[in-house]
């Protein structure tokens, strides 16, 4: 793999404020100034963005179909969903795969939607042995709670200790909050205040039961809120007060949640969010706002804005190249699908790309790469997702379709 290379004639979308035509230089895993190594001409036909960040997923829980309330009904909080999940056919079928197998497929769910950084919301006791080996950055540096309520699943070492650890290490403290409308769910922000942890390290997922006063408190504390609209609407027919959250200056990000309730991936979630916002408020949620939510806002939420979230020099070379289908780079981003990814790199390392970028991985498919065909175009990919997909199908016992994997594994060479 090459440590140094340059992509020139690129339509560079460094951030929502900085768009230019020019070169992107990768130097020793970071975005650099030095012109060295091979040059690839993008012919001004591709937009180059920071790779995306998914602030909320459960990598053990990406399996289909979704599990939800009986038709015509919705839940009061997350607890009956958890009970329904455990007795569902989806869960029984999923259980034929080992945690490792599901985690790898979930990593590819993220990779194929331009994501290089994701939080796996699970206790590290469970995921510590798996995350470092995944093809994307599913980081271990976070404090967590399950829901910050008396009846939650008691993940981690308790809110105070987990939060203290997060502060000490400059990690995020991540918890579901107010995922429902019972009395306790509605008091989520109050509870965090009471135990003294409501601050700018908090990454609060869902927050559908927040009052206007709660929103003001979250904004004043500098907390981040993760919007998981598809999951919320599926379970509760309600999502957070997204317009009010944005107006009050809260750092809002977008998470997919697992496919047990959420969208199939981050691209699908972005499409869903935009349409929902239009339906709820009769106005457009700007593509630029959506872009910020899955790049710099997400990096800020994770306290990683010094190294991720924009294409500024010195940051990690996490780069997403999308086919330019429209003139406006942000509209182009907001309408992107899995077939539009031309190249995805993490710290300079190509994870997935069209064959014209093969020089970046040494010119041939080395041991750690395989090829797949997506949208009729052959591409290289890190690892062997087709092999893993085939292996999963064997264990499940039939040709299961997992919609977040954009290729047919039986047509790929083994
Ligand atoms: Fe969740």
């Amino acid at each position: 793999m090459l440590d140094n290379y340059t992509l020139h004639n690129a339509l560079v979308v460094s951030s929502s404020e900085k768009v230019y035509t020019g070169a992107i230089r990768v130097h020793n895993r970071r975005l650099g100034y030095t012109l060295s190594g091979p040059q690839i001409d993008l012919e001004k036909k591709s937009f180059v963005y920071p790779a995306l960040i998914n602030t909320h997923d459960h990598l053990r829980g990406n399996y289909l179909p979704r599990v939800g309330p009986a038709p015509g009904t919705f839940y009061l909080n997350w607890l009956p969903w958890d009970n329904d999940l455990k007795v569902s056919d989806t869960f029984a079928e999923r259980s034929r795969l080992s945690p490792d197998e599901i985690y790898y497929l979930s990593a590819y769910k993220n990779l194929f939607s331009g994501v290089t950084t994701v939080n796996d919301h699970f206790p590290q006791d469970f995921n510590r042995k798996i995350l470092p080996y995944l093809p994307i950055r599913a980081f271990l540096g976070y404090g967590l709670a399950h829901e910050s309520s008396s009846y939650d699943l008691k993940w981690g070492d308790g809110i105070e200790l987990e939060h203290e650890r997060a502060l000490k290490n400059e990690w995020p403290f991540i918890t579901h909050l107010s995922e429902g409308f019972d009395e306790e769910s509605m008091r989520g922000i109050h509870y965090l205040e009471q135990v003294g942890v409501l601050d700018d390290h908090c990454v609060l997922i869902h927050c559908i039961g927040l009052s206007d006063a709660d929103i003001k408190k979250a904004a004043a504390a500098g907390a981040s809120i993760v919007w998981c609209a598809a999951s919320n609407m599926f379970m509760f027919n309600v999502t957070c007060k997204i317009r009010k959250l944005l107006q009050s200056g809260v750092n809002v990000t977008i998470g997919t949640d697992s496919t047990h309730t959420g969208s199939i991936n981050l691209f699908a979630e972005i499409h869903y969010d935009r349409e929902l916002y239009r339906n709820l408020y009769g106005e457009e949620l700007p593509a630029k706002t959506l872009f910020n939510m899955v790049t710099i806002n997400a990096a800020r939420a994770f306290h990683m804005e010094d190294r991720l979230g924009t294409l500024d020099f010195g940051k990690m070379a996490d780069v997403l190249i999308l086919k330019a289908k429209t003139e406006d780079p942000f509209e182009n981003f907001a309408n992107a699908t899995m077939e539009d990814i031309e190249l995805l790199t993490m710290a300079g390392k190509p994870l997935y790309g069209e064959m014209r970028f093969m020089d970046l991985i040494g010119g041939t498919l080395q041991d750690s790469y395989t090829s797949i065909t997506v949208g009729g175009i052959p591409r290289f990919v890190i690892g062997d997702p087709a092999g893993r997909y085939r292996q999963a199908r064997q264990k499940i016992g039939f040709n299961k379709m997992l919609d977040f994997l954009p290729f047919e594994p039986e047509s790929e060479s083994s």
Side-chain angles (χ1 to χ4, degrees):
M1 195 198 86
L2 293 170
D3 289 327
N4 304 307
Y5 53 91
T6 301
L7 306 167
H8 69 106
N9 278 325
L11 306 169
V12 183
V13 186
S14 177
S15 70
S16 59
E17 305 305 319
K18 194 167 147 196
V19 180
Y20 61 92
T21 302
I24 279 285
R25 294 177 185 125
V26 175
H27 183 70
N28 292 338
R29 300 161 58 88
R30 292 185 180 264
L31 296 162
Y33 295 95
T34 321
L35 184 63
S36 59
Q39 297 192 34
I40 292 191
D41 188 352
L42 297 183
E43 299 173 351
K44 299 181 189 169
K45 288 179 184 164
S46 311
F47 283 116
V48 182
Y49 305 90
L52 309 184
I53 302 172
N54 183 1
T55 37
H56 185 56
D57 201 344
H58 305 278
L59 299 186
R60 195 188 187 181
N62 287 307
Y63 202 76
L64 294 162
R66 301 205 281 193
V67 176
T73 70
F74 293 98
Y75 295 129
L76 179 66
N77 58 36
W78 59 271
L79 190 56
W81 171 79
D82 201 54
N83 296 331
D84 285 352
L85 174 71
K86 303 285 164 55
V87 298
S88 67
D89 292 345
T90 299
F91 190 81
E93 207 178 281
R94 192 194 94 182
S95 306
R96 294 180 206 165
L97 303 179
S98 70
D100 273 45
E101 287 165 328
I102 291 267
Y103 264 76
Y104 267 91
L105 297 177
S106 294
Y108 284 109
K109 159 194 154 176
N110 282 285
L111 184 153
F112 290 122
S113 60
V115 171
T116 52
T117 305
V118 64
N119 180 248
D120 175 40
H121 193 218
F122 262 118
Q124 290 95 333
D125 282 351
F126 180 74
N127 63 21
R128 178 175 290 126
K129 288 195 178 132
I130 309 175
L131 299 192
Y133 302 100
L134 297 180
I136 61 167
R137 184 184 296 110
F139 57 95
L140 280 165
Y142 59 93
L144 96 164
H146 174 255
E147 226 266 345
S148 298
S149 67
S150 64
Y151 59 89
D152 76 5
L153 299 179
K154 309 300 168 220
W155 288 352
D157 294 325
I159 292 174
E160 288 95 332
L161 197 60
E162 290 281 337
H163 178 265
E164 195 184 311
R165 196 178 290 147
L167 284 191
K168 206 155 85 187
N169 292 289
E170 199 50 25
W171 293 344
F173 168 74
I174 303 174
T175 180
H176 295 118
L177 196 80
S178 288
E179 193 184 8
F181 301 98
D182 61 281
E183 204 183 324
E184 207 175 321
S185 293
M186 301 287 278
R187 288 168 51 79
I189 288 283
H190 178 74
Y191 181 65
L192 295 184
E193 265 188 324
Q194 226 175 14
V195 294
V197 304
L198 182 63
D199 63 14
D200 64 353
H201 283 67
C202 284
V203 178
L204 309 175
I205 303 147
H206 302 308
C207 293
I208 62 175
L210 260 52
S211 67
D212 291 0
D214 290 334
I215 289 174
K216 278 189 188 149
K217 284 178 184 172
S224 297
I225 289 181
V226 184
W227 186 28
C228 304
S231 174
N232 300 156
M233 295 303 288
F234 178 67
M235 291 170 71
F236 306 106
N237 201 29
V238 173
T239 189
C240 60
K241 296 174 177 172
I242 182 63
R243 186 165 64 170
K244 202 156 265 175
L245 284 168
L246 292 170
Q247 284 167 349
S248 55
V250 172
N251 185 51
V252 179
T253 71
I254 291 172
T256 55
D257 218 341
S258 78
T259 59
H260 277 329
T261 55
S263 299
I264 60 153
N265 63 24
L266 197 57
F267 284 155
E269 183 70 26
I270 288 164
H271 304 162
Y272 182 90
D273 293 351
R274 207 164 191 206
E275 195 178 330
L276 178 69
Y277 196 94
R278 198 179 294 131
N279 293 337
L280 287 175
Y281 303 110
E283 59 187 66
E284 225 26 55
L285 180 57
K288 214 180 241 197
T289 305
L290 288 158
F291 172 77
N292 281 336
M293 287 176 178
V294 294
T295 54
I296 188 61
N297 292 12
R300 205 173 283 141
F302 288 160
H303 288 250
M304 296 178 180
E305 68 268 43
D306 60 332
R307 51 200 186 276
L308 293 174
T310 67
L311 295 180
D312 288 324
F313 297 126
K315 289 198 180 186
M316 302 306 287
D318 280 37
V319 170
L320 169 64
I321 303 186
L322 295 176
K323 187 184 298 171
K325 294 194 298 186
T326 55
E327 240 174 68
D328 183 294
F330 301 102
E331 289 298 329
N332 193 70
F333 151 79
N335 291 310
T337 68
M338 291 191 273
E339 296 185 359
D340 297 328
I341 299 180
E342 295 182 341
L343 181 70
L344 180 68
T345 72
M346 179 176 72
K349 179 182 184 177
L351 300 183
Y352 174 53
E354 292 180 355
M355 294 304 187
R356 67 190 165 110
F357 295 103
M358 280 270 278
D359 279 353
L360 305 184
I361 60 169
T364 55
L365 286 178
Q366 309 286 329
D367 289 347
S368 51
Y369 291 90
T370 54
S371 68
I372 52 171
T373 301
V374 176
I377 298 173
R379 304 159 198 251
F380 66 83
V381 61
I382 188 91
D384 184 13
R388 288 187 177 274
Y389 198 176
R390 277 196 299 270
Q391 199 177 16
R393 282 180 164 186
Q394 268 171 17
K395 281 196 155 182
I396 295 160
F398 64 99
N399 275 0
K400 180 77 181 176
M401 295 298 293
L402 293 169
D403 295 345
F404 47 84
L405 300 174
F407 56 89
E408 176 45 58
E410 309 307 327
S411 330
E412 308 297 347
S413 57
S414 48

